[in-house]
Amino acid sequence: MSLLLTAAQTVGPYVAIGFEKQSLPDVAPAGVAGERVVITGKIFDGDGQPVTDGVIETWQANSYGKYAHPDDTQEKLLEENFRGFGRVLTDAQGGFRLTTIKPGKVAGPDGLGSKEQAPHITVAIFMRGLLKHLMTRIYFPGEAANADDAVLNRVPAARRATLIARKAADGTLQWDVYLQGPNETVFFDY
Amino acid sequence: MSHLNPYRKSYFDTQPDYRYPPYRSTLKRAPTQPLVQIPQTLSEITGPVFSARDVKDTDNDLTAQHAGAPIGERMFVSGRVLDENGRPVPNTLIEMWQANAAGRYKHIVDDHDAPMDPNFTGFGRTVTDANGHYRFKTIKPGAYPWRNHYNAWRPAHLHFSLFGQGFAQRLVTQMYFPGDPLLEFDPMVMSVPDERARQRLVSSFDWENTVPEYAIAYHFDMILRGRDATPMETKGNKK
């Protein structure tokens, strides 16, 4: 190591000026393969108040479990029209809505050839009051592979449910973020 | 099995904690449970790939987005995006946003009693070149009051958002100006424990890029997490 890392600083209350231009609530354009999913949710602060100035960024593999990135050397099908990046700003009720496709399984922590991870979406959360962004994941309900996912198994069992979306009556997936409190969402360091 | 090449953990004391009481908004928004340590997998070491095709050539000029020129001190800011190992980070998207010269943001939440500038939006973006270089042309933002504590003023700053080459390198930061007397009173700046890391957030006067009789320039490099080991270069073997 030779250079000192730049410190993170909050996005502040005016983050929309910087992030709205590249807001991407529809992650998968028409023609991308895979099961279409709608993910909705809200972000709540420690008082249970909705966070109306938050941003959720998502990063995911395609339905074959392949990331559109040169470091992914898995021999899986790459789709040219799927970047895999999403970004939504929360609305006046603290809510967000993202449409995408369910990602396939990708290689586990030990690299290519290791046990694959359960389908998941990588998430970064930004807002005023966060000096650096929060890192978490969204997993899918009813997924057998969740039981032996290498990352989920690092999470205390009682808190794993905070990372798994719930299927609503209308078929959408619901995933709320609690910054604090009894249902505090699990956040990662990596 | 082929091993992944993870990014190093953030170096000691270079990053603020989530909870920092002098910045009041952290109290209800910082997580209270310990972060769960997870290994980096493909999901963390990869990230969205951008290229110059994602932006227009003029997107990095914040002074040319409206009919007239914005009011204020015209300036250039440029520098490089590097990793901790000193390697340039090419083709990374940089988003930049800021207040106008009077210290007012073009945002509905900003009720500071300072004039709006119809010729200034305060947003620009660019993609670094092959050597990690970037450059913006803008006007110097003003300081502005906020209600964090009595008589609180944010030092003039630019917001920068960088994607790096993997999600583990994602960074949003702020750039400050040299010699600003507000820096030592600012909870954002002071949230960074290490004095040298705080200094890294302050740009320097850039005489070489200052354009005579036109605009002052500032220099600001941004350093993203580096990787532990250099992977074997295999690109040359491809046909």
Side-chain angles (χ1 to χ4, degrees):
Chain A
M1 191 185 78
S2 54
L3 298 176
L4 194 68
L5 196 57
T6 298
Q9 295 273 271
T10 183
V11 294
Y14 312 117
V15 60
I17 299 171
F19 280 13
E20 215 154 35
K21 180 101 174 178
Q22 186 113 337
S23 170
L24 294 161
D26 299 309
V27 180
V32 171
E35 178 192 343
R36 300 264 147 187
V37 291
V38 177
I39 302 173
T40 64
K42 284 188 177 185
I43 307 180
F44 298 98
D45 72 11
D47 288 329
Q49 293 299 309
V51 170
T52 59
D53 53 7
V55 178
I56 293 203
E57 287 185 356
T58 61
W59 169 242
Q60 65 171 97
N62 67 16
S63 61
Y64 305 101
K66 174 82 174 174
Y67 285 106
H69 188 281
D71 284 0
D72 183 347
T73 55
Q74 299 174 110
E75 288 185 16
K76 295 176 176 176
L77 191 65
L78 191 63
E79 290 170 289
E80 277 197 3
N81 56 347
F82 185 71
R83 179 181 269 163
F85 176 65
R87 174 190 275 170
V88 281
L89 284 67
T90 58
D91 59 25
Q93 284 75 45
F96 62 89
R97 185 177 198 273
L98 192 79
T99 62
T100 184
I101 50 98
K102 181 177 175 180
K105 295 176 184 174
V106 301
D110 294 326
L112 263 57
S114 67
K115 184 170 179 52
E116 290 190 318
Q117 304 180 62
H120 64 272
I121 296 175
T122 302
V123 175
I125 300 174
F126 300 84
M127 67 183 74
R128 169 181 66 83
L130 285 181
L131 284 159
K132 53 189 174 183
H133 62 273
L134 289 166
M135 302 180 287
T136 184
R137 283 183 174 193
I138 303 171
Y139 284 84
F140 292 79
E143 183 69 45
N146 286 346
D148 48 13
D149 179 83
V151 168
L152 263 185
N153 281 326
R154 299 275 180 127
V155 176
R159 300 187 65 207
R160 275 176 212 158
T162 69
L163 301 180
I164 303 171
R166 287 176 296 112
K167 194 149 194 168
D170 64 359
T172 62
L173 296 177
Q174 289 196 323
W175 184 72
D176 293 330
V177 176
Y178 293 90
L179 299 169
Q180 299 179 352
N183 299 315
E184 183 173 318
T185 302
V186 168
F187 301 108
F188 297 136
D189 185 24
Y190 53 75
Chain B
M1 233 184 271
S2 147
H3 279 284
L4 299 171
N5 186 20
Y7 289 91
R8 245 193 315 272
K9 282 284 186 69
S10 294
Y11 189 63
F12 179 69
D13 272 357
T14 60
Q15 303 299 312
D17 286 332
Y18 287 107
R19 184 184 153 88
Y20 183 68
Y23 175 24
R24 281 199 332 212
S25 297
T26 66
L27 297 178
K28 295 295 182 182
R29 294 187 165 192
T32 63
Q33 300 278 339
L35 302 179
V36 174
Q37 304 290 325
I38 65 165
Q40 289 175 35
T41 72
L42 274 180
S43 308
E44 289 74 33
I45 66 169
T46 61
V49 175
F50 297 98
S51 75
R53 284 173 305 176
D54 288 299
V55 298
K56 293 200 302 262
D57 283 346
T58 52
D59 280 353
N60 65 347
D61 184 353
L62 286 76
T63 68
Q65 298 172 341
H66 299 274
I71 299 289
E73 202 179 312
R74 198 159 41 219
M75 60 169 267
F76 291 102
V77 57
S78 65
R80 294 177 80 189
V81 181
L82 303 164
D83 71 14
E84 291 167 297
N85 304 321
R87 291 160 63 119
V89 182
N91 296 316
T92 189
L93 178 68
I94 303 180
E95 296 160 304
M96 190 272 269
W97 70 102
Q98 63 169 101
N100 70 20
R104 179 92 187 260
Y105 283 90
K106 192 181 162 131
H107 192 289
I108 193 162
V109 174
D110 189 351
D111 57 3
H112 175 35
D113 179 20
M116 295 292 294
D117 184 342
N119 289 313
F120 194 68
T121 298
F123 172 71
R125 57 183 178 172
T126 190
V127 170
T128 55
D129 71 11
N131 296 310
H133 286 283
Y134 76 91
R135 174 175 152 110
F136 287 97
K137 180 177 166 185
T138 185
I139 51 96
K140 193 173 179 183
Y144 59 85
W146 59 314
R147 300 183 181 97
N148 185 70
H149 54 272
Y150 174 69
N151 211 2
W153 290 79
R154 292 293 337 272
H157 60 274
L158 307 178
H159 294 265
F160 281 96
S161 156
L162 294 86
F163 282 85
Q165 293 177 317
F167 231 58
Q169 277 190 323
R170 185 87 175 89
L171 177 74
V172 176
T173 189
Q174 297 182 27
M175 181 202 101
Y176 302 95
F177 291 87
D180 191 330
L182 295 172
L183 292 174
E184 63 184 291
F185 302 103
D186 183 53
M188 310 291 186
V189 172
M190 299 310 290
S191 71
V192 179
D194 183 86
E195 163 66 21
R196 288 184 312 141
R198 289 199 292 273
Q199 288 307 314
R200 168 133 342 271
L201 299 179
V202 182
S203 58
S204 57
F205 169 59
D206 183 355
W207 185 82
E208 262 182 46
N209 283 304
T210 290
V211 178
E213 293 172 53
Y214 187 70
I216 282 177
Y218 293 91
H219 185 89
F220 186 59
D221 290 335
M222 289 174 276
I223 312 302
L224 307 180
R225 290 162 71 177
R227 289 175 141 167
D228 270 327
T230 305
M232 295 288 286
E233 292 289 349
T234 54
K235 280 178 183 154
N237 300 331
K238 279 187 188 163
K239 283 181 185 159

